[in-house]
Amino acid sequence: MAGLRLGPDDSELSQQSRAAPADLISDDDRSVAADSWSIKSDYGSTLDDDQRHADAAEALSAANLRAPSDYSSDKEEPDAEGVTSMLGLQSYWDAAYADELANFREHGHTGEVWFGADVMEVVTSWTKNLCIDISQGRMPNHVDNIKSDPVEQGDKYLSDWSVLDIGTGNGLLLQELSKQGFSDLTGTDYSEGAVDLARSLAGRVGLPNIHFLVDDVLDTKLGRQFQLVVDKGTLDAIGLHPDGSIKRVMYWDSVSRLVAPGGVLVITSCNSTKDELVQEVESFNQRSVTQEHDETSKDKFQYLSHVRTYPTFMFGGSVGSRVATVAFLRN
């Protein structure tokens, strides 16, 4: 299943390769990270942050979910490698992207591709087909079976799609979406180093139409909505924070305001299966109905489709894959 962690191989970068901070973080940075577990130090010190943290904790309690120290509310047992990680801390990513930015300036290195280049290619081509299908008035069933149109034909559909990549990192996912025919592209990350690197890389290949902004998805200041919101690994990292369960509640509250009605959210994860992501969305829908005190209101998100072409393997009598990519429609 997607939640299983496998050893890295030569053909695919795994999350474990990013989890080795020895070359990226100094002893001082580790000390900072160890002291950065609170909402105040990671996401600001405003009263609004504290209130949103309290609201999310109350929502978890009302839903009888697990304590904030657990990684995911839909897992019966904590992950064998522990429920928290350095990857859940902003201080880790600030140090990592400072290192990658220095490497780019010195050697021109692009940096790591989260989940590997093969997965990114699958995500972008599959997302393109999904959006074209929706633009043509068809609700997808098996998007993988749709033959991809040439990019020049897809442009007439894709040019109307505004795209937001949350936790954009080095921005390479948006570069690939641009190649697929999308043109209204925005990437956000809470790490200034990531945004600086993404701008530099996009400028190097002549893609000035991609806009990169410093913004924290858990406390977004964006004043617009998007037809397509993509997340490749950001929800995973949020869940690895010591307060991961609470932050995941905050994530869904925020993302639901970023996706325009009728728009699509595409999440790619290596820590959650397709079924676990669908269950998490259903839990969010139920919380929203309770908070709005309106049992007749529609679900905010509904499952659309998922990638079915990732390689699978058998483990413990179950069939799964390293990665899950799932699309949800914003009602």
Side-chain angles (χ1 to χ4, degrees), residues 135 154-163 181-184 227-228:
S135 296
D155 281 351
K156 63 182 179 181
Y157 302 111
L158 302 179
S159 61
D160 293 332
W161 284 78
S162 56
V163 182
F182 294 93
S183 57
D184 184 355
Q227 277 77 43
L228 172 64

Side-chain angles (χ1 to χ4, degrees), residues 258-269:
L258 290 172
V259 185
V264 176
L265 170 67
V266 176
I267 297 181
T268 299
S269 170

Side-chain angles (χ1 to χ4, degrees), residues 97 100 110-113 168-173 175 194 197-198 201 212:
Y97 282 114
E100 290 199 359
T110 298
E112 284 195 72
V113 179
T168 192
N170 56 20
L172 295 183
L173 179 64
Q175 289 190 29
L197 177 62
L201 291 172
F212 293 104

